[in-house]
Amino acid sequence: SVAVLDFGGQYAHLIARRVRELNFYSVLVPYDVTLDEFLQASPLAVIFSGGPASIYVEGSPKPRREVFEYIINNRMPLLGICYGHQLIASMLGGRVARKDKAEYGLSVLRVLTGDPIFHGTPASQRVWMSHRDAVVWLPEELEVIASTDYSEVAAFRHKTLPVYGVQFHPEVRHTEYGRVILDNFLRRVAGLKPNWFVEDVAAEVISDLRRRLSGKALVAVSGGVDSLTAAVMVQRAIGSDNIYVVHVNTGLLRESESDRTLKTLEKLGFKNVFYVDASRLFLERLRGVTDPEEKRRIIAKTFAEVFAEKALELNRKVGGFKYLVQGTIYPDRVESGATGKATARIKSHHNVVMEAIPGLEIVEPLSEFYKDEVRKIARSLGIPDEIVTQHPFPGPGLAVRIVGEVTEEKLRILRKATRIVEEEFRKSGFYERVWQAFPALLSIRTVGVKGDERSYEYALALRVVESEDAMTASFAKLPWEFLEHVAERLVNEVEGVNRVLYDITHKPPATIEFE
Ligand code: XMP
């Protein structure tokens, strides 16, 4: 694998994803991994990620000496990015200092040598920078291979080892040739052959499940791509007779979402599908509740209860359940951050089921994959495109897009508005170009005029963001004409709405969802 040591940068997962996009297997490991754990990842090349710390500050994250020495003594290919770049320079005897000004955003990189890491890229190229500390002096064995106006040591290489550092972020899309530079490091410096293709790996996971599992499995399918893909993988492994699918309608789903999910399950050949309509129960429990955290707690608890009750009933009637399938994906399992440790987390609603049916084993067919990889797998398993390309939809559903109390009327309005927004985004092609696009219902009414009459109705906020991983996001700067058209449809077609606002805040400080 390509081992990405995580020094706490928000970009560590992004580096691992990019490496996989280039068809090399990568894993994220904590920066202070022991040599044993490090070797268990069978690393063929190593990348040190960025991070928020300053390397000269006492207690800042450093790899264990035994790991660093192993890498150097075995001439392993090593690339440091940002903090990782400074760390390698400093561990090999260079000097890192804080500059009086930060270099943030796009910079022009001047490539000074014909090094293989810059193969196929021009002498002058745009790179994304985000640093204040900088490498200010290099020892004899290291040499500068690229500079910017601001950073003399924007990239260095070791004179005799396959060791490199880049101050800029090749994993970020704004870096024009970032992808090429990473690919050059892996192919040309490390000499690796691209051999990791997600559909093949998924097929291996399925054969492995086929060998390992015998007995019945239970799965809750929401309508999202993760749980459905996990269910199909297990179905392929143990057969449609042995997998029992439960779909809970919380009443907080989008228009026709339950219908679509049930039809899709049928088309995919699932035989044991159980639909539970719990929308009344959810609505009752949410009545009068306005606190966002309280709303989330109630929804999670109610979901767990409803699912566990169905599971118990099935276990009484059919029996023989041995597995509980969970759609956990790689980033859920590996917490990023310098203190993050790999932990398998059981979702809270599954804990309740585990208590109800003792002896169940958790099965997570997607625990090695990123979201974009899950989408590829889903497509290869015949899951309809409409579901595969779907934007993320939060677990608590429309409830976090209604500010304040959830009522039947507000749900009706938001469901219809959501359908219109999705239609317009799909039709215009903007759907694929943004991370998420949805209306939220602000529980305020404002005055308007409809026809000749004064109206006093709800305001909707349109939230459209661009993002790589939902950790940060920027609002999408869409053409006025398009927004105008969407707003017109909303006020004309959705009864109870007379005003549409466009949300122009980034995350941070705002979140993507409203609650
Ligand atoms: P925020 O609102 O925190 O959202 O900026 C970040 C991303 O996570 C999604 N989201 C959720 N997903 N359960 C989920 O499965 C949740 O409770 C939840 N809350 C937010 C949100 O849609 C966005 O993509």
Side-chain angles (χ1 to χ4, degrees):
S1 73
V2 177
V4 179
L5 255 64
D6 177 4
F7 288 95
Q10 52 167 325
Y11 297 127
H13 268 302
L14 200 52
I15 299 170
R17 270 172 56 192
R18 291 284 179 264
V19 170
R20 289 172 177 214
E21 280 169 21
L22 296 165
N23 304 115
F24 301 92
Y25 182 50
S26 68
V27 291
L28 209 63
V29 292
Y31 73 90
D32 59 349
V33 64
T34 62
L35 185 57
D36 274 354
E37 287 165 343
F38 176 70
L39 294 177
Q40 269 167 33
S42 317
L44 298 170
V46 186
I47 299 178
F48 285 1
S49 83
S54 278
I55 62 128
Y56 45 78
V57 169
E58 178 83 21
S60 58
K62 306 248 162 58
R64 288 176 195 244
R65 188 137 284 281
E66 51 181 22
V67 173
F68 191 69
E69 278 169 7
Y70 183 91
I71 294 169
I72 297 294
N73 294 340
N74 289 281
R75 308 179 63 84
M76 286 183 82
L78 172 65
L79 172 67
I81 296 174
C82 195
Y83 179 82
H85 155 89
Q86 298 162 11
L87 192 62
I88 296 169
S90 143
M91 290 182 89
L92 294 175
R95 208 160 70 78
V96 173
R98 186 181 175 82
K99 307 258 274 204
D100 32 306
K101 228 173 68 199
E103 183 180 26
Y104 184 81
L106 284 174
S107 282
V108 175
L109 184 80
R110 291 184 310 278
V111 177
L112 308 175
T113 65
D115 191 90
I117 204 160
F118 292 119
H119 178 89
T121 74
S124 172
Q125 50 187 281
R126 274 186 306 198
V127 297
W128 185 259
M129 286 285 194
S130 172
H131 69 116
R132 178 140 193 190
D133 289 352
V135 177
V136 293
W137 185 82
L138 287 178
E140 185 55 32
E141 316 83 80
L142 302 182
E143 62 184 326
V144 180
I145 54 173
S147 302
T148 67
D149 281 345
Y150 188 75
S151 303
E152 198 202 328
V153 191
F156 68 77
R157 72 172 169 209
H158 195 285
K159 287 182 184 163
T160 55
L161 296 173
V163 172
Y164 286 78
V166 293
Q167 180 58 66
F168 59 89
H169 288 273
E171 74 278 20
V172 170
R173 292 222 189 273
H174 305 289
T175 297
E176 255 181 311
Y177 292 92
R179 197 185 154 84
V180 181
I181 292 167
L182 280 176
D183 195 51
N184 284 341
F185 170 70
L186 298 165
R187 282 178 203 247
R188 291 170 194 275
V189 175
L192 303 181
K193 296 258 174 304
N195 64 355
W196 196 80
F197 296 91
V198 70
E199 293 87 349
D200 299 349
V201 181
E204 279 166 33
V205 172
I206 294 172
S207 342
D208 181 58
L209 290 174
R210 193 170 293 138
R211 273 192 300 275
R212 200 160 63 79
L213 307 187
S214 73
K216 293 194 182 76
L218 194 62
V219 60
V221 160
S222 61
V225 70
D226 298 347
S227 55
L228 188 58
T229 308
V232 174
M233 288 171 82
V234 173
Q235 176 205 30
R236 298 281 163 97
I238 63 175
S240 297
D241 290 333
N242 288 317
I243 183 158
Y244 285 70
V245 184
V246 176
H247 172 71
V248 177
N249 181 357
T250 59
L252 307 169
L253 300 175
R254 289 160 289 188
E255 206 173 272
S256 352
E257 194 165 5
S258 280
D259 276 354
R260 188 189 70 182
T261 306
L262 295 172
K263 282 204 188 96
T264 305
L265 286 165
E266 195 190 321
K267 251 197 275 173
L268 289 165
F270 285 94
K271 289 186 187 158
N272 308 304
V273 176
F274 301 87
Y275 171 70
V276 185
D277 183 358
S279 46
R280 279 193 163 284
L281 180 64
F282 278 87
L283 207 58
E284 260 165 42
R285 291 199 178 165
L286 287 169
R287 187 172 302 138
V289 183
T290 52
D291 179 67
E293 288 312 307
E294 182 67 11
K295 279 164 71 177
R296 281 176 178 271
R297 263 196 303 279
I298 290 170
I299 294 165
K301 185 166 170 283
T302 307
F303 187 89
E305 278 175 35
V306 171
F307 181 36
E309 195 187 327
K310 193 71 196 176
L312 257 178
E313 181 197 317
L314 287 172
N315 200 45
R316 262 199 317 274
K317 284 191 189 150
V318 198
F321 286 103
K322 284 172 72 181
Y323 310 103
L324 184 61
V325 182
Q326 191 170 268
T328 318
I329 64 174
Y330 192 58
D332 300 338
R333 196 168 64 90
V334 183
E335 281 173 44
S336 186
T339 52
K341 288 273 185 288
T343 42
R345 279 181 296 175
I346 298 177
K347 298 195 174 174
S348 61
H349 59 263
H350 285 156
N351 269 326
V352 181
V353 176
M354 305 282 279
E355 277 162 28
I357 310 176
L360 280 184
E361 186 192 323
I362 295 271
V363 174
E364 300 176 311
L366 298 174
S367 65
E368 286 298 319
F369 301 105
Y370 282 107
K371 188 83 177 190
D372 13 359
E373 297 168 344
V374 173
R375 292 208 169 102
K376 280 191 193 160
I377 297 169
R379 213 173 251 127
S380 76
L381 293 172
I383 293 174
D385 230 42
E386 192 191 353
I387 293 178
V388 174
T389 57
Q390 191 167 237
H391 289 162
F393 185 67
L398 298 178
V400 292
R401 296 179 179 174
I402 292 174
V403 177
E405 189 188 2
V406 176
T407 65
E408 218 163 342
E409 192 207 3
K410 291 184 199 172
L411 280 168
R412 175 191 61 74
I413 292 174
L414 191 56
R415 234 180 248 126
K416 189 153 186 197
T418 302
R419 199 240 309 140
I420 291 172
V421 170
E422 182 169 336
E423 260 173 34
E424 288 301 326
F425 272 76
R426 293 250 189 208
K427 210 161 62 185
S428 62
F430 283 121
Y431 193 87
E432 283 77 25
R433 289 163 37 198
V434 300
W435 175 266
Q436 274 172 291
F438 58 85
L441 189 144
L442 307 174
S443 294
I444 48 166
R445 288 174 211 255
T446 69
V447 174
V449 274
K450 276 190 175 175
D452 296 330
E453 279 176 53
R454 176 185 180 278
S455 67
Y456 188 55
E457 296 174 323
Y458 283 117
L460 289 176
L462 197 53
R463 182 70 166 147
V464 188
V465 295
E466 291 170 353
S467 176
E468 278 285 352
D469 53 13
M471 299 291 291
T472 59
S474 39
F475 80 86
K477 294 171 185 138
L478 297 176
W480 288 119
E481 295 70 26
F482 172 70
L483 292 175
E484 180 182 27
H485 173 67
V486 176
E488 264 169 18
R489 275 201 68 190
L490 289 171
V491 290
N492 289 336
E493 295 176 38
V494 187
E495 212 179 307
V497 171
N498 65 359
R499 191 179 295 269
V500 179
L501 310 168
Y502 195 57
D503 187 342
I504 56 168
T505 33
H506 300 314
K507 172 184 180 178
T511 51
I512 296 176
E513 302 292 344
F514 275 61
E515 284 197 345

